[in-house]
Amino acid sequence: MIAHLKGRLESTGIDNAVIDVGGVGYLVGASSRTLQALGGVGEHVTIHTEMLVAEDFIRLVGFATADERDWFRLLTGVQGVGARVALAILSVLAPDELRTAIARGDKASIGRANGVGPKLAQRIAMELKDKVGGIAPGLAGVAGATIPAGGASADAVSALLNLGFKPAEAARAVEAAAEEVGEGASLDALVRLALRKAAR
């Protein structure tokens, strides 16, 4: 399993990039959003990857952030969503925008992606709503707390959800922890403090 690549951006195409790692060129499929985030040809880049293995091919898919990779995994777990459709969705919606759309049941936003019809958009919204816990970082008033989009706070909420906390509990605990430790706190520090807050 290849988790990430660090190397020189050799070239980019419509839906892929070639990353030179120690003289070996890795062809990596990617969303247009990731391709834009990589920068210019010749620059040193780090890209998170997911390896797709089938009977007749092995393919690498790359992502600018681990959050985008996690969303790719969630999306391809929905019936009818293959790698190409998942990348199309991630090309039109950033992870936080997708999280918000699913939390709100916004089928129209999901349906903006190529290859996603109304029925598939509805299935994605329905199947993934429980998996993302209904949390939409950056939205005021969600479960009585506001979690900044992205960053350590969003990751801390995700960590608490994975530990079995309810969305409202996780959001409130992380918000309280973030206020106490201030900006720039590490994910580990946030999670530890949030767990103590949640236990009270």
Side-chain angles (χ1 to χ4, degrees):
M1 178 67 74
I2 299 175
H4 70 264
L5 296 173
K6 289 184 178 181
R8 186 169 59 87
L9 181 59
E10 187 75 19
S11 65
T12 59
I14 296 175
D15 59 359
N16 60 64
V18 176
I19 313 295
D20 187 303
V21 182
V24 178
Y26 290 87
L27 178 65
V28 181
S31 68
S32 59
R33 193 176 297 274
T34 287
L35 292 173
Q36 290 170 6
L38 286 178
V41 171
E43 292 185 14
H44 188 82
V45 299
T46 297
I47 189 166
H48 302 272
T49 57
E50 180 80 353
M51 182 182 288
L52 307 179
V53 180
E55 289 184 7
D56 55 347
F57 72 85
I58 297 176
R59 181 185 177 198
L60 276 178
V61 184
F63 311 93
T65 65
D67 197 19
E68 188 184 12
R69 181 183 60 194
D70 291 344
W71 273 105
F72 177 83
R73 291 170 177 170
L74 283 173
L75 287 167
T76 53
V78 176
Q79 183 182 356
V81 180
R84 189 177 299 277
V85 170
L87 289 177
I89 293 170
L90 291 168
S91 290
V92 299
L93 293 172
D96 288 323
E97 293 171 334
L98 182 54
R99 187 179 284 110
T100 298
I102 289 172
R104 290 178 170 175
D106 184 358
K107 297 173 290 186
S109 291
I110 300 170
R112 285 165 40 206
N114 288 335
V116 180
K119 288 184 178 179
L120 183 55
Q122 182 175 12
R123 185 185 305 146
I124 291 169
M126 292 287 289
E127 288 192 20
L128 295 186
K129 187 161 188 175
D130 290 339
K131 293 185 179 180
V132 301
I135 284 266
L139 280 180
V142 174
T146 301
I147 298 299
S153 291
D155 290 340
V157 170
S158 178
L160 263 64
L161 290 175
N162 289 336
L163 290 172
F165 285 89
K166 293 181 180 179
E169 295 172 337
R172 282 195 293 266
V174 171
E175 184 180 41
E179 287 178 359
E180 184 169 322
V181 297
E183 293 184 11
S186 68
L187 173 60
D188 184 61
L190 263 181
V191 171
R192 287 176 185 275
L193 184 55
L195 284 171
R196 290 202 296 271
K197 296 283 186 185
R200 291 177 184 173

